[in-house]
Amino acid sequence: MTLNRRPRPTSDDRELRLWKVGRALVVTFAAAVLVAGGVFYSLVYLLDFQEIDTAAKLDAKTLFDLVKLSFGVVAGAGALVALVVAYRRQRVDEAGAYREATRLHTERFSQAVDKLGSDSPAVRLGGVHALAGLADDAPTTTCARPASTSCAPTSDCPPLLIRAS
């Protein structure tokens, strides 16, 4: 029996890998509750509380404080949702911009290679310079272009040879 598994992505992949929104929100809320609990118990320990006074009746001041606390919790939860959504939107926008830059780079490369097949030496030289510019502008590649790419566009220039690598 074979399992249908996706290949493990390499570190060079620029694909967008995001958790589902529900999972991200649950993890964020759990982290927030753990941090709040840790801060509360740290303060109780540092302030050396011996015991908490229990009252049988709930007065108006305590009720008002509980209402303020509940509004603060709801506002904090809303802020966490807004942060998670904004983070996801930013990641999606960055991935879209990367795809657009890659598409533009590919189009420029195709046009430069088309120029290399021209009958005119001047157009072929323009293709070489366009490829050199692409090598300089490449967003993720680290290839070095030859130091000398200039040739006088005369009829005695040899045709450009392209090797497949």
Side-chain angles (χ1 to χ4, degrees), residues 10-30:
T10 63
S11 62
D12 293 338
D13 282 347
R14 293 284 303 206
E15 74 179 39
L16 190 61
R17 293 181 300 270
L18 293 176
W19 287 356
K20 294 184 179 184
V21 174
R23 183 183 200 189
L25 288 175
V26 166
V27 169
T28 305
F29 281 122

Side-chain angles (χ1 to χ4, degrees), residues 53-58:
D53 186 23
T54 58
K57 289 185 104 181
L58 191 64

Side-chain angles (χ1 to χ4, degrees), residues 140-160:
T140 56
T141 57
T142 56
C143 61
R145 68 182 177 108
S148 173
T149 57
S150 63
C151 170
T154 61
S155 61
D156 58 352
C157 282
L160 296 172

Side-chain angles (χ1 to χ4, degrees), residues 27-91:
V27 169
T28 305
F29 281 122
V33 167
L34 287 174
V35 168
V39 167
F40 174 76
Y41 283 114
S42 298
L43 288 175
V44 166
Y45 177 75
L46 288 175
L47 295 175
D48 198 28
F49 279 119
Q50 298 300 323
E51 69 180 57
I52 297 175
D53 186 23
T54 58
K57 289 185 104 181
L58 191 64
D59 61 345
K61 182 181 182 305
T62 306
L63 182 63
F64 185 65
D65 287 343
L66 285 175
V67 168
K68 286 194 306 187
L69 179 65
S70 64
F71 282 139
V73 167
V74 170
L80 280 176
V81 169
L83 282 173
V84 168
V85 169
Y87 172 74
R88 290 176 61 87
R89 183 178 297 136
Q90 178 67 26
R91 291 281 310 269

